[in-house]
Amino acid sequence: MNPLKDIFRLIFPSQCAICRTPLGHGISDICLNCRLELPLTYYWKKVDNPVSLKFWGHMPIETGSAYFYYMNSGRWRSIIHNFKYRKGWRYAQMLGEWYGAELRDSGNYDDIDVVIPIPLHPLKKIKRGYNQSDWIAKGVAKELGVKVDYHSVKRKKNNISQTQLSHDDRWENVDDIFTVKNPSAIAGKHILLIDDVLTTGATIISCGESINKIVPGCKFSVAVLALAGNSHALPPKYPESKKE
Ligand SMILES: [Zn+2]
């Protein structure tokens, strides 16, 4: 108890980061109404779900899931958009904890050994100040009771954003952009790869391929926070037209 803090709260009650209504005692950042409006996927409850299916055929994962649907409208959009700015890391960690508790309770993520956030290129990380996926990973790992490995996997190429590229160009843009700096740290482990938003999955697949090439024998699962509304199945990596 801190009386000064209580008086301050009485004069300046903290507000919900999304709807701006004053928060009740003991509730921080997001009100219960907004939390209930989060459009959850519940994919983590089932091993074979639309997110797992996106990866199977491209990358051997045990299971995959997304916490919620990323809508282009709605009250949650701005908070995800703001992950990359100001104090967005706080919300990234908070949502990571909410998600991690669901993953833990599902029983489908019991044998995860280590959580690895998809790394940003060091230059991009310096420019942004942090990698939002690091904070999501921190929240998830806390609930799963495992460690986050921030250092073993690195992004060696500062590739351009995937958002403006065609499907075929997306594969090329992420080809061989990751490397493993510390193979012995992750050898033989079941790795949970974490990213913020899933569209095609090409970046995560590229990261898994690089790890697999350098440290064969790892197992993978994938947990992304948000599934993009324009998310769709990946095209074949080597389309027929390109073989000719
Ligand atoms: Zn609210």
Side-chain angles (χ1 to χ4, degrees):
M1 286 289 278
N2 181 340
L4 274 178
K5 209 172 167 185
D6 284 350
I7 293 167
F8 183 83
R9 277 244 167 147
L10 212 61
I11 303 168
F12 305 104
S14 54
Q15 296 176 329
C16 170
I18 292 177
C19 69
R20 301 287 163 204
T21 53
L23 291 170
H25 196 70
I27 297 173
S28 57
D29 295 322
I30 309 283
C31 76
L32 289 177
N33 277 342
C34 287
R35 184 166 178 177
L36 287 172
E37 279 200 8
L38 192 57
L40 302 180
T41 70
Y42 296 100
Y43 288 161
W44 56 87
K45 289 173 179 276
K46 217 170 157 232
V47 169
D48 59 332
N49 63 65
V51 170
S52 297
L53 288 171
K54 275 171 92 69
F55 288 92
W56 290 342
H58 292 285
M59 176 182 171
I61 66 165
E62 305 299 310
T63 188
S65 65
Y67 187 39
F68 58 87
Y69 300 101
Y70 179 78
M71 313 284 194
N72 282 329
S73 60
R75 47 176 74 178
W76 277 93
R77 184 187 175 277
S78 64
I79 207 161
I80 307 305
H81 186 71
N82 286 334
F83 271 175
K84 294 168 188 165
Y85 312 99
R86 296 184 298 150
K87 290 177 184 165
W89 60 266
R90 272 180 49 205
Y91 302 115
Q93 184 180 358
M94 179 191 71
L95 286 163
E97 286 177 15
W98 293 359
Y99 188 19
E102 299 285 2
L103 298 180
R104 181 197 61 219
D105 293 347
S106 76
N108 290 327
Y109 295 77
D110 286 354
D111 66 339
I112 297 292
D113 296 309
V114 65
V115 171
I116 296 186
I118 299 294
L120 285 181
H121 188 270
L123 288 177
K124 206 169 265 175
K125 192 166 171 179
I126 288 167
K127 202 172 154 199
R128 192 176 290 169
Y130 57 87
N131 176 3
Q132 66 270 25
S133 295
D134 285 356
W135 291 94
I136 299 165
K138 194 175 178 190
V140 168
K142 182 184 160 198
E143 298 299 325
L144 289 180
V146 295
K147 288 224 158 68
V148 185
D149 185 336
Y150 300 103
H151 306 294
S152 292
V153 181
K154 298 281 179 200
R155 194 182 284 230
K156 59 183 178 180
K157 277 189 210 156
N158 196 5
N159 62 310
I160 59 166
S161 164
Q162 295 276 79
T163 48
Q164 304 301 323
L165 299 174
S166 72
H167 278 146
D168 289 347
D169 290 342
R170 284 183 181 210
W171 282 123
E172 212 162 294
N173 188 41
V174 297
D175 187 40
D176 196 28
I177 61 169
F178 296 98
T179 189
V180 180
K181 290 282 183 199
N182 190 6
S184 62
I186 56 172
K189 293 197 169 166
H190 185 176
I191 299 167
L192 181 63
L193 293 171
I194 300 270
D195 210 355
D196 57 348
V197 179
L198 178 68
T199 40
T200 63
T203 307
I204 297 173
I205 291 167
S206 171
C207 187
E209 279 178 346
S210 295
I211 296 172
N212 218 6
K213 217 186 290 175
I214 300 165
V215 201
C218 291
K219 284 202 288 184
F220 298 95
S221 286
V222 172
V224 297
L225 199 61
L227 181 61
N230 60 348
S231 167
H232 23 53
L234 279 164
K237 189 164 185 181
Y238 305 104
E240 292 299 315
S241 57
K242 285 210 160 177
K243 282 184 188 164
E244 288 164 12

